[in-house]
Amino acid sequence: MSNSPMSSLEIISVANEELAAAASGYRLSRRLQILTFILSVTSIFISNTYTYIPALVALIVQLTAWAVRLRAGRNHAIGDEGRRRGLLLNAFGPTSERIDLTNWLNRISPDTQDRARKSVDPDYFASSAQTGVRRLCEHLQENALWGKCLYSAAATYYMRFLFAFAGSAVLSALVAIPLASGDGKLILARVLVAVLAFGAAITQINEIMSWRAAEGQIEAIDRRLDVLVSYSDDRLKSDRIEALFAVYGDYSIATAAAPPVPRWIYLRERDRLNDLWRQRTSQTP
């Protein structure tokens, strides 16, 4: 990045690079968990001591999946923090508080910052309001619409995937149990693969629950914002500033707790959500 102060759009671009890295990490983690399941099922069908080979490989794969998920969570935290900073900077203008921004950038690689500088989107913010609290209110309202719709789409898709995953697991178990050896030496392998498959399923359930919780929280936030956006900038500053920053805090908590939405879902929904936002703002009195 250049030595000049970063604009809000540059900060948002850097944040989006980190969020994209997080989404890729979560995607890889999900694929590794599918591989864990496949190896676990394979282990069940082997009726001799060779069953320990896929069981141990499944253990390594699942540990790798968890490590990848932890790294993706770090990228998500960095990206989400940057998105909030960019949103505030765009709403209120430049700030003299440079230390926190410098510390944030220090956690991001120079390559990521260079890529972000080349992909700045000048049309990222749709609000035409003047700098101030009303502009922040409009930013939050637009983000709320996108957030609740994307979280809903992600939760719905992966809930179906989880049902298919669980159905395959039950069917495999019903087929494998009668064929499995009763050799006591293989009990440890059976227990290991059962625990690994259960851990993979719980991870996906937690993701879906996080998306559903964020969807519900942001739906409530959107309705609170719909009341605040009707006030003028002066009225927001004098009477409703506490309510606005409470909404901002709740929004920050909701997005920080939920995993990033897969990019393919964002791309699939992008045009539809842009149309929804235009329809919504055109109906604003």
Side-chain angles (χ1 to χ4, degrees):
M1 305 297 286
S2 65
N3 293 326
S4 59
M6 291 184 68
S7 69
S8 60
L9 292 175
E10 288 174 324
I11 293 174
I12 289 291
S13 185
V14 173
N16 285 341
E17 286 288 334
E18 286 292 317
L19 291 172
S24 296
Y26 278 102
R27 181 176 67 250
L28 175 58
S29 175
R30 295 183 195 105
R31 291 176 177 175
L32 289 172
Q33 287 165 349
I34 293 172
L35 181 57
T36 296
F37 171 72
I38 294 172
L39 289 167
S40 299
V41 171
T42 302
S43 177
I44 292 174
F45 279 95
I46 299 175
S47 58
N48 55 48
T49 53
Y50 286 112
T51 191
Y52 280 96
I53 294 176
L56 291 175
V57 174
L59 175 60
I60 294 171
V61 170
Q62 185 60 26
L63 290 174
T64 303
W66 285 331
V68 169
R69 183 168 288 266
L70 286 174
R71 182 176 179 81
R74 175 182 176 276
N75 292 128
H76 178 229
I78 294 173
D80 200 55
E81 178 184 343
R83 187 169 55 181
R84 294 195 303 269
R85 290 185 181 280
L87 186 148
L88 288 174
L89 184 62
N90 186 269
F92 294 117
T95 174
S96 59
E97 296 290 335
R98 303 185 186 92
I99 295 177
D100 288 342
L101 179 58
T102 302
N103 291 341
W104 177 70
L105 286 172
N106 188 50
R107 297 155 62 192
I108 301 169
S109 70
D111 288 343
T112 298
Q113 296 182 44
D114 288 340
R115 287 198 308 272
R117 190 179 184 184
K118 297 173 183 177
S119 59
V120 174
D121 181 5
D123 300 319
Y124 181 85
F125 294 105
S127 175
S128 58
Q130 296 295 317
T131 300
V133 290
R134 182 174 177 82
R135 186 173 178 84
L136 172 63
C137 192
E138 291 184 3
H139 285 346
L140 288 173
Q141 195 172 38
E142 182 185 10
N143 284 0
L145 173 68
W146 279 76
K148 67 182 182 182
C149 292
L150 290 175
Y151 288 141
S152 176
T156 299
Y157 175 83
Y158 282 100
M159 178 64 77
R160 294 171 183 166
F161 179 84
L162 182 62
F163 282 146
F165 184 88
S168 299
V170 171
L171 181 61
S172 299
L174 291 175
V175 172
I177 288 174
L179 302 176
S181 170
D183 190 344
K185 296 179 181 179
L186 306 182
I187 292 177
L188 180 59
R190 303 281 188 255
V191 172
L192 176 61
V193 296
V195 170
L196 291 175
F198 180 75
I202 288 296
T203 301
Q204 293 307 307
I205 291 171
N206 285 338
E207 264 195 6
I208 293 168
M209 291 177 64
S210 295
W211 281 325
R212 285 301 186 198
E215 177 194 356
Q217 292 167 351
I218 294 178
E219 172 63 32
I221 288 167
D222 194 19
R223 293 184 181 278
R224 290 158 65 187
L225 286 166
D226 202 43
V227 175
L228 293 174
V229 79
S230 63
Y231 295 116
S232 66
D233 197 74
D234 291 338
R235 180 75 184 278
L236 284 170
K237 288 178 182 177
S238 61
D239 296 338
R240 308 300 296 169
I241 192 67
E242 296 89 352
L244 176 58
F245 281 110
V247 169
Y248 173 78
D250 290 343
Y251 173 79
S252 299
I253 293 170
T255 57
V261 172
R263 181 166 176 76
W264 70 266
I265 292 180
Y266 163 78
L267 293 175
R268 185 190 71 183
E269 300 291 323
R270 180 173 57 186
D271 291 341
R272 183 179 71 85
L273 292 179
N274 276 326
D275 289 340
L276 279 177
W277 179 248
R278 282 192 291 267
Q279 291 174 20
R280 180 166 166 173
T281 53
S282 67
Q283 297 171 4
T284 301

